[in-house]
Amino acid sequence: MEIVASGIRPTGNLHLGNYFGAVKSFLQMQHEYKCYFFIADWHSLTTHPCPENLRQSVKTILSEYLACGLDPEKATIYVQSDVREVAELYLYLNMNAYLGELERVTTFKEKVRAQPDNVNAGLLTYPSLMAADIIVHRAVKVPVGKDQEQNMEMTRKFARRFNNIYGVEYFTEPASFHLSEKAVKIPGLDGSGKMGKSEGNAIYLADDEKTIYKKVMHAVTDFGPTEPDSIKSEAVQNLFTMMEVVSEKETYDFFNEKYNSCAIRYGDMKKQLAEDINKFCIPVRERIKEISANEAYLEKVVKTGAEQASANASITLNDVRRIIGFSCF
């Protein structure tokens, strides 16, 4: 069975965009591949989170992914910092990573512009840590967004470079598995094309009923269609896209017909959309509360996941040490 590896940054609650994007893809993949899903807490250190926030973020994201259906019986789920072999491989990859190529990475240059007072080595070597996360499990596929393609190319470069330096064919160059080919892109409530945490336009799976209602009712629209069957503006199309994934087909068709006949009332549509989103979120929200309160279960999941991930990673590191020349005796 092909191996898939993917990281999850502990950066807050999951929103609908996450669910219909990465999460649904992960839920499908866990039945089709041998999957390693990890919470990338080492990566988050580039922003210097305080210890309590880091611990809570890891617990939150773990609880939410489990509540959505990620199954530790089918996939290996672990916390990145629990698998020390990743850090060791990260060191070896950094020894063969060059300053110029790391500085040319687009995401690094964007971070430098965004946070000029915090340009740390972790930001610079993000691609080599990402590469270590992936190839430590000898993964052949990696589910990533297209914005991570340059980092994936760096991963392939580091794997290829290791093989060339030591005259081996040990690491496979992993292929990008774009989530967008399988996932629905959920737009933001502000009329933009993407729902996201930093954009402040997201509906979170853990949001209560009143919060969801308030957010949807404040969603951006326009003045309405001026002639039958007119093209929807981006903001209005966003509402219809959300309705398409959370509402019954009859509901979507009803409001679509109202729009096409210039009889739509956006207030009515928003009320219905808020009701349908809340209906969708209720079981997940309750499951999140249940799982996050079960400390023993969460501890069991990460402990078992760490054991499984470490066992697999240690095989790679033993081979790598031997290839480099460390196992003399």
Side-chain angles (χ1 to χ4, degrees):
M1 182 178 288
E2 290 183 307
I3 298 175
V4 168
S6 186
I8 304 157
R9 282 182 67 99
T11 54
N13 299 90
L14 293 176
H15 53 68
L16 287 178
N18 298 139
Y19 180 83
F20 288 102
V23 176
K24 287 201 73 174
S25 295
F26 291 167
L27 297 183
Q28 180 178 343
M29 284 185 286
Q30 69 182 348
H31 299 287
E32 300 174 1
Y33 303 96
K34 182 173 178 59
C35 294
Y36 290 87
F37 297 129
F38 62 92
I39 299 174
D41 54 344
W42 274 334
H43 282 289
S44 70
L45 294 181
T46 58
T47 59
H48 306 145
C50 71
E52 183 53 39
N53 286 346
L54 181 57
R55 283 191 288 267
Q56 185 56 49
S57 295
V58 169
K59 179 182 175 182
T60 295
I61 206 71
L62 175 64
S63 300
E64 294 189 345
Y65 269 87
L66 292 171
C68 289
L70 211 59
D71 187 350
E73 298 295 324
K74 294 182 171 64
T76 298
I77 305 166
Y78 64 97
V79 179
Q80 183 186 33
S81 59
D82 286 340
V83 181
R84 308 301 169 83
E85 291 85 357
V86 174
E88 185 177 348
L89 184 56
Y90 172 46
L91 169 67
Y92 299 151
L93 295 180
N94 274 336
M95 295 301 182
N96 297 319
Y98 301 109
L99 181 61
E101 64 187 357
L102 293 171
E103 289 180 328
R104 288 192 295 272
V105 174
T106 301
T107 51
F108 173 70
K109 292 189 288 187
E110 290 174 350
K111 291 291 185 181
V112 170
R113 285 193 292 269
Q115 51 188 64
D117 297 326
N118 181 29
V119 184
N120 54 67
L123 287 174
L124 180 67
T125 59
Y126 178 101
S128 50
L129 180 54
M130 179 174 166
D133 290 323
I134 296 164
I135 66 177
V136 77
H137 295 301
R138 303 174 302 285
V140 298
K141 289 186 178 181
V142 184
V144 293
K146 291 187 176 180
D147 60 331
Q148 289 293 317
E149 185 51 50
Q150 188 178 23
N151 285 325
M152 278 302 302
E153 182 53 44
M154 294 291 283
T155 297
R156 289 186 281 270
K157 179 185 290 186
F158 293 146
R160 186 165 59 247
R161 184 174 292 161
F162 180 92
N163 291 343
N164 291 338
I165 288 173
Y166 296 105
V168 295
E169 290 296 330
Y170 185 71
F171 285 122
T172 300
E173 296 181 29
S176 302
F177 184 35
H178 292 304
L179 295 173
S180 58
E181 295 173 1
K182 287 179 172 281
V184 177
K185 183 179 179 181
I186 302 300
L189 294 170
D190 59 352
S192 70
K194 181 182 179 182
M195 181 174 287
K197 301 179 184 72
S198 58
E199 290 81 358
N201 61 5
I203 294 177
Y204 297 98
L205 299 179
D207 280 345
D208 60 36
E209 185 174 359
K210 289 183 179 179
T211 301
I212 290 174
Y213 181 82
K214 183 177 180 180
K215 286 182 176 181
V216 175
M217 294 307 293
H218 283 87
V220 174
T221 54
D222 56 24
F223 292 107
T226 56
E227 56 184 40
D229 299 317
S230 58
I231 297 174
K232 299 180 180 72
S233 66
E234 182 179 19
V236 172
Q237 181 58 55
N238 287 353
L239 294 180
F240 275 97
T241 298
M242 281 187 273
M243 180 166 275
E244 192 170 14
V245 296
V246 300
S247 304
E248 298 290 338
K249 184 178 183 303
E250 292 77 10
T251 301
Y252 175 89
D253 291 343
F254 172 81
F255 285 102
N256 194 45
E257 189 279 326
K258 288 290 185 182
Y259 182 89
N260 289 331
S261 62
C262 299
I264 192 165
R265 295 166 58 93
Y266 288 138
D268 293 341
M269 181 184 182
K270 289 180 180 181
K271 288 177 184 177
Q272 183 64 53
L273 180 59
E275 180 181 326
D276 292 343
I277 290 174
N278 191 60
K279 189 183 300 182
F280 172 83
C281 288
I282 283 175
V284 180
R285 189 164 64 224
E286 293 304 314
R287 184 71 174 144
I288 291 171
K289 291 179 183 177
E290 177 187 344
I291 290 176
S292 62
N294 192 340
E295 296 276 354
Y297 174 66
L298 292 174
E299 184 178 355
K300 179 183 177 182
V301 169
V302 295
K303 182 179 179 181
T304 301
E307 290 172 352
Q308 294 172 347
S310 292
N312 189 57
S314 65
I315 296 172
T316 302
L317 264 295
N318 286 336
D319 289 340
V320 167
R321 293 185 196 114
R322 175 181 51 78
I323 291 168
I324 292 176
F326 289 133
S327 53
C328 299
F329 302 100

